[in-house]
Amino acid sequence: MLALSDPAWTLLQGPYGSSQYVPEMLKQLQAGYDGEMADTLYWEELYHQNTLYTCTFAAVPYLVDIALKSSDIGIRADIYNICGIFEAKNNNPLHTKVPLEFTRDQVKVDSSVAEYIYAQYRCAIVRLAELTEEMVLYAKEHEGDVGKRYVLAAGAAFQGYRSIAYMLQSFDTGDEYTLDCPHCGTPLYIWPDEQNDTLVVYDKDPVNSDNLVPYPIRPRSLDHKGANIQWLHEYAQKIEEKLPYLIGWLDCPVCNTPIYIWDELMKMADGVRRYTA
């Protein structure tokens, strides 16, 4: 890990410029994990306005170290989930050595330092992935639907399924999805059917419209789907989270063209991740 006394921290960037105050905040969390302090660090210094910074990569190994040394499973879950949010937003390719954020923010550290910081970040993510089974069991017993979905999202991110993770985080209530028809551009709303435990499609926002006609979704089998969907299905069952059946087809109510829902949700999630990078 980059030593907390290393002068490189003054060169690393956060949302307000230099990350010089991050090491002191990490020291305080090492001395005693305080939720208010942690939230300030996470949302004001490491992930402000849905953006990753160079200091984020340097800080994560310390957070993981705190999690793994803590006997408090709530602390481990808190750090597991926040790092899952970070990794879901990580747009750097798999074999990246120096993250794009170093160029974006024109951080003036030696390339060997940047490589070391990111290598340590990647090692920390691998260590967190080893907590997935424990976190799933914990969330199953102690979390509501939103909490379960954030654990699933973190697990997916650590597994390398970043778009799935971002989709789960974006639609964290798990029963209301939006996408645009890829053929005619009509906004579509995938919503729970009030009459039974299924999903239907509307061509107008159900929140602002009455007497809408629900259009059906045609479900499909998981048998032929890729590893990402198989992983999500397996862990959704483990956590007893009733994920909507999103690998089916719908016909656009306007142009009547068949739409494969999962592909469009992944395109949406990947597009938002990149656009807001």
Side-chain angles (χ1 to χ4, degrees):
M1 296 185 288
L2 184 68
L4 295 178
S5 59
D6 196 304
W9 285 100
T10 63
L11 301 175
L12 298 178
Q13 295 291 298
Y16 308 109
S18 170
S19 64
Q20 59 184 318
Y21 301 113
V22 171
E24 182 57 36
M25 299 175 81
L26 289 169
K27 286 181 184 177
Q28 292 184 42
L29 291 180
Q30 285 177 323
Y33 192 85
D34 176 76
E36 186 174 342
M37 169 67 73
D39 283 345
T40 300
L41 174 64
Y42 301 157
W43 303 110
E44 295 298 324
E45 300 292 340
L46 304 184
Y47 191 67
H48 187 62
Q49 295 184 343
N50 297 326
T51 302
L52 296 179
Y53 301 91
T54 51
C55 67
T56 313
F57 300 119
V60 162
Y62 284 95
L63 297 176
V64 174
D65 199 52
I66 291 170
L68 296 180
K69 289 180 178 177
S70 176
S71 60
D72 187 332
I73 194 169
I75 292 174
R76 295 201 294 280
D78 195 31
I79 293 174
Y80 182 88
N81 287 337
I82 192 64
C83 289
I85 291 173
F86 297 161
E87 181 60 10
K89 193 60 170 59
N90 183 3
N91 290 318
N92 290 286
L94 180 61
H95 299 295
T96 294
K97 290 188 175 181
V98 176
L100 301 171
E101 286 78 5
F102 280 82
T103 300
R104 181 198 68 195
D105 296 339
Q106 300 181 328
V107 176
K108 301 184 185 304
V109 299
D110 190 86
S111 61
S112 63
V113 174
E115 287 184 22
Y116 174 76
I117 289 171
Y118 196 60
Q120 291 292 296
Y121 170 83
R122 296 307 318 162
C123 288
I125 291 300
V126 170
R127 296 174 72 196
L128 272 182
E130 296 172 357
L131 294 180
T132 296
E133 295 291 339
E134 178 190 29
M135 291 297 101
V136 165
L137 290 175
Y138 174 74
K140 175 183 173 181
E141 299 297 330
H142 300 283
E143 296 286 355
D145 289 343
V146 173
K148 289 178 179 180
R149 290 177 71 81
Y150 270 92
V151 168
L152 281 179
F158 301 148
Q159 192 71 20
Y161 305 136
R162 294 170 178 170
S163 289
I164 286 182
Y166 200 78
M167 185 271 287
L168 291 172
Q169 292 166 4
S170 299
F171 301 112
D172 58 9
T173 59
D175 56 6
E176 299 168 359
Y177 299 83
T178 59
L179 54 87
D180 293 336
C181 173
H183 307 283
C184 69
T186 299
L188 302 175
Y189 302 85
I190 300 175
W191 222 257
D193 187 342
E194 294 182 358
Q195 305 302 319
N196 52 61
D197 191 24
T198 62
L199 291 177
V200 294
V201 181
Y202 297 103
D203 58 0
K204 294 182 177 60
D205 187 347
V207 172
N208 301 318
S209 306
D210 296 320
N211 302 318
L212 294 177
V213 176
Y215 297 89
I217 292 173
R218 302 190 300 278
R220 294 188 70 183
S221 169
L222 282 164
D223 294 344
H224 66 293
K225 295 292 103 186
N228 56 354
I229 300 180
Q230 294 289 353
W231 183 93
L232 180 59
H233 178 69
E234 175 186 348
Y235 277 85
Q237 287 185 316
K238 287 184 178 181
I239 207 170
E240 294 185 356
E241 154 65 337
K242 296 180 180 179
L243 283 171
Y245 205 58
L246 298 176
I247 65 167
W249 293 85
L250 63 87
D251 293 326
C252 175
V254 175
C255 69
N256 205 39
T257 305
I259 301 170
Y260 181 43
I261 297 171
W262 185 259
D263 281 355
E264 297 310 311
L265 287 175
M266 290 300 97
K267 289 177 187 176
M268 177 280 304
D270 201 47
V272 172
R273 286 175 64 245
R274 296 183 186 280
Y275 179 76
T276 59

